[in-house]
Amino acid sequence: MPMTHEAATSRPACRRGGKISLVVPVYNEGKGLAALRDALVAVMDALPYEWDCILVDDGSRDDSWAVIESISAADPRFKGLMFSRNFGKEMALTAGVEAAVGAGAVICLDADLQHPPEIIPELVAKWEEGYDIVATIREKVADYSLVKKIGSKTFYWFMRRFTDLDLPPNSTDFRLLDSKVVETLAQFTEGSRMFRGIIDWMGYKKTYISFCAPARSQGEPAYSVKKLFNLAINSFTSFSLVPLRLAGYLGLGIMAVTLPLLCVMVLANWFIGANITAIAFFTVFNTLLIGIVLCALGMMSLYIGHIHTEVVNRPLYIVRCRAGTWDGNA
Ligand code: UDP
Ligand code: MG
């Protein structure tokens, strides 16, 4: 499996500027937050960077917010944001990253310790090598059901096959984003968003690290199969217009079969006197009409696709860096 999508830069590792902000989406994780704090403090204090941690309570129904308040009162490096209701992990990540003002890098990770904080130094080392995005790939997950595993495999197959995203199987939201990626993220206004899909769409200089996910530190996964299915459909349709065009493709396929068949039937009837019944003739003719209607729907979907692209309003291009003098700055 490719661990690294790009050859590492030849530049020696160097310390980069700015603090590191950790962003953690929290949904009913009250019992595990103290363990998360201890793990993060142990790892982050060993790094030569200032750091802070933004815990985004995504409308938890347990005591998560009370725990976040007490953690942030005891250690000012921890901060909390509480949503008015459950908006989902993608929005919690978005809010946390937007709140990480002035950070040199942001690292997103889950609250349940399934994204092991111990590999944060590896992410930071890759950032120091010059990568803008250090993403992770989950090699094994201890507590995923068979349905979730099959669902995940199917989702990644569809995403790779029918979208332009460079989304390797089992890539996760556990990733480090350089400040320029965070700035670019602010340009995305789409409401229905797949956080890591958007990051992958951006391009930039990216590498991967793999890890084995342990079982959750406590509690049940918040993502039921139904919630994951909805997320998968949303993510897929926001990056692929293939479903919209399916009717058109089907119509073309039907026409490609029925039109020649109808011609053959008519010619056979006229020239060699084949005894083709009226029922057979009308069945093929009706199927051809269905094909024409589906093709018309396909034509409309091309225009709807353009509307979709305009409404999503993604940046038209992203500049990674500049050379020369711009407005007096080197
Ligand atoms: N989460 C969230 N909002 C939700 C569901 C989950 O913020 O509506 C958080 C959750 O607290 C955890 C992370 O997203 O920090 C991943 O959730 P989970 O462990 O349920 O997902 P899985 O590990 O099964 O992918
Ligand atoms: Mg989890």
Side-chain angles (χ1 to χ4, degrees):
M1 194 200 51
M3 297 266 292
T4 302
H5 275 210
E6 273 179 65
T9 49
S10 51
R11 196 153 65 82
C14 60
R15 196 170 175 278
R16 290 181 73 165
K19 67 174 176 187
I20 296 178
S21 288
L22 307 171
V23 168
V24 185
V26 175
Y27 183 61
N28 298 340
E29 307 277 6
K31 289 197 185 71
L33 286 179
L36 175 77
R37 177 208 47 210
D38 295 345
L40 292 179
V41 169
V43 169
M44 296 306 293
D45 276 350
L47 291 173
Y49 290 95
E50 267 183 54
W51 64 277
D52 62 9
C53 175
I54 300 165
L55 299 157
V56 185
D57 182 356
D58 181 18
S60 296
R61 278 181 252 140
D62 68 351
D63 61 346
S64 293
W65 182 246
V67 179
I68 291 173
E69 280 185 319
S70 76
I71 288 177
S72 47
D75 185 339
R77 292 173 299 183
F78 286 86
K79 303 161 192 187
L81 273 182
M82 181 173 59
F83 278 177
S84 56
R85 65 168 172 85
N86 179 245
F87 282 92
K89 181 183 174 184
E90 314 300 305
M91 288 304 151
L93 287 172
T94 305
V97 173
E98 279 177 5
V101 181
V106 171
I107 299 176
C108 303
L109 76 164
D110 284 359
D112 56 7
L113 291 175
Q114 286 199 293
H115 293 164
E118 305 81 67
I119 70 164
I120 288 178
E122 285 178 56
L123 304 192
V124 174
K126 288 286 177 198
W127 177 52
E128 288 171 339
E129 277 177 32
Y131 289 102
D132 304 317
I133 300 171
V134 188
T136 60
I137 292 177
R138 190 179 47 214
E139 285 222 314
K140 258 202 298 201
V141 63
D143 59 355
Y144 255 33
S145 66
L146 187 66
V147 179
K148 273 194 179 180
K149 280 183 190 155
I150 294 173
S152 161
K153 278 213 156 48
T154 316
F155 170 72
Y156 281 107
W157 185 85
F158 270 95
M159 288 301 277
R160 287 182 75 78
R161 185 83 182 71
F162 296 111
T163 72
D164 298 330
L165 295 183
D166 171 26
L167 203 65
N170 301 329
S171 66
T172 76
D173 286 315
F174 184 19
R175 43 183 68 194
L176 179 148
L177 313 174
D178 180 69
S179 56
K180 57 170 101 68
V181 179
V182 173
E183 274 164 33
T184 307
L185 199 61
Q187 294 179 42
F188 287 75
T189 53
E190 58 204 84
S192 170
R193 59 174 61 193
M194 176 198 189
F195 188 77
R196 63 178 179 277
I198 290 179
I199 308 275
D200 285 326
W201 184 89
M202 286 182 198
Y204 282 118
K205 194 170 165 60
K206 183 164 70 174
T207 187
Y208 291 91
I209 285 176
S210 37
F211 72 94
C212 292
R216 274 187 144 261
S217 60
Q218 59 84 39
E220 292 295 311
Y223 274 107
S224 59
V225 171
K226 185 178 157 213
K227 236 174 152 181
L228 280 176
F229 182 74
N230 286 340
L231 184 65
I233 295 286
N234 258 344
S235 306
F236 184 62
T237 48
S238 69
F239 285 102
S240 172
L241 295 177
V242 169
L244 199 57
R245 294 184 182 146
L246 269 183
Y249 294 143
L250 190 64
L252 276 180
I254 290 175
M255 279 179 68
V257 174
T258 49
L259 198 57
L261 186 62
L262 198 66
C263 292
V264 169
M265 284 166 96
V266 170
L267 292 177
N269 222 12
W270 277 347
F271 293 112
I272 55 171
N275 201 10
I276 292 166
T277 62
I279 287 190
F281 180 80
F282 278 110
T283 305
V284 176
F285 184 67
N286 273 339
T287 317
L288 175 64
L289 285 184
I290 291 172
I292 292 171
V293 171
L294 286 176
C295 272
L297 271 179
M299 289 299 289
M300 282 166 67
S301 70
L302 291 181
Y303 291 90
I304 294 172
H306 287 305
I307 297 171
H308 174 272
T309 311
E310 292 299 322
V311 168
V312 166
N313 198 21
R314 286 194 188 130
L316 300 182
Y317 54 84
I318 297 167
V319 177
R320 179 169 181 257
C321 52
R322 296 172 181 216
T325 307
W326 292 81
D327 292 337
N329 297 317

